[in-house]
Structures are given as structure tokens and as C-alpha cells.
Amino acid sequence: MIKNGTIFDYTPLTAPDHYSVESADKSQTMYFNYCKFATWPEDSIVDQMQTFAYVVDTATNIPTAVYTNNSILPPKTEFHLPNYDLGESDSWLTITQTSYTPCIKPDEFIKFQTEILCDENIKEDGGAKVISADTSPDEDCTVKVKLAH
């Protein structure tokens, strides 16, 4: 992906199967990946879907929502420069993927958004560290994840 003359390579974020995050109440587990579809549960009674992010009911292991479509086109990308006045010293990226999953807002669909912060100590492909994640959409119909890589 090239944005404003800068080349972004998302492939180092690609995990062998997926990343996973459990909700605070442990009722849901979200699975997600980049540049490769997240691995669908083998024993699921729901037909397999090609998606980069989805959530399952932890008790039944049944997918309950799909958070991205299956488009392999690059996601919407925003490049953020540090605000030195606020003490920020690093740049970061925000990528947003769309879905066909309806949101509670009329005529809107759930979005999956990832903030990617630089951590020069993480050099392993697929080894991004999940800093925070919400397994359910917020009031703006967005599921948010923050990674360091």
C-alpha cells in the first residue's frame, strides 16, 4: 500500500492462524488477522466465511458476527505524525476495514479498525502485541484494536 509517497507493508502483521482476544466478561472471543483470512472454527455449525475478523460465542464456539468483508483490496489507511507538543515521538497507522454486517445505526455497517504503533523490539512476523481490543462495536459501529509491531 502506498499513501502520500510512503510504502506500508502489512504482511509482517500476518499471524499463522489469527490473533484472538477474549471479551472482558469472557462471553465472546474475537479472532482477526491481516493479509490472510482468520481461521474459521473447524467444528462450527455455521458455514465457513472468508473474513479477516469475526467474533464467536465462547460457550458454543459459534460465530455470531463477521467484522470484515472478504475484499483483498487494501483497507482505508491513515498515517499519523507525532504531535511533539503532546509528547508523542512516534508515527502510527490506522487501518479501517469494512463489512457487510449491519450496525444498529440505519444504513451503516460494522467497521474493523486497527491502530498500529511502532515497537522496535518486535521484529517477528506475525508477532504483533495486542495492546487493547474491543470485541463489540462501539456507538460508531466500529470494533477497535490497538497493536504494537
Side-chain angles (χ1 to χ4, degrees):
M1 155 67 72
I2 299 174
K3 179 108 174 152
N4 297 333
T6 303
I7 299 173
F8 300 104
D9 180 6
Y10 302 123
T11 56
L13 296 175
T14 308
D17 290 319
H18 51 249
Y19 297 92
S20 62
V21 176
E22 202 170 50
S23 63
D25 66 1
K26 303 199 183 304
S27 66
Q28 297 179 325
T29 303
M30 181 172 63
Y31 297 93
F32 58 97
N33 210 346
Y34 304 89
C35 302
K36 177 183 171 185
F37 296 126
T39 304
W40 197 257
E42 287 183 21
D43 56 349
S44 174
I45 60 171
V46 177
D47 289 340
Q48 182 173 344
M49 297 183 74
Q50 292 183 323
T51 180
F52 296 101
Y54 65 94
V55 67
V56 300
D57 178 292
T58 304
T60 63
N61 203 36
I62 295 175
T64 56
V66 173
Y67 291 153
T68 72
N69 60 33
N70 61 358
S71 173
I72 58 171
L73 295 175
K76 175 183 170 194
T77 302
E78 297 174 65
F79 181 61
H80 308 277
L81 294 172
N83 183 334
Y84 297 108
D85 294 337
L86 296 176
E88 297 172 350
S89 58
D90 293 318
S91 302
W92 73 96
L93 289 176
T94 302
I95 60 174
T96 305
Q97 297 164 280
T98 58
S99 76
Y100 300 120
T101 303
C103 180
I104 57 171
K105 288 184 171 183
D107 302 321
E108 290 206 29
F109 298 94
I110 293 175
K111 296 175 283 303
F112 184 75
Q113 185 177 79
T114 307
E115 284 193 60
I116 306 163
L117 309 177
C118 182
D119 184 333
E120 61 189 38
N121 297 314
I122 301 174
K123 300 187 184 328
E124 176 187 355
D125 284 358
K129 176 184 171 190
V130 178
I131 297 169
S132 63
D134 298 321
T135 59
S136 297
D138 64 12
E139 63 277 354
D140 293 323
C141 300
T142 304
V143 177
K144 295 180 179 177
V145 172
K146 187 180 284 190
L147 296 178
H149 192 275

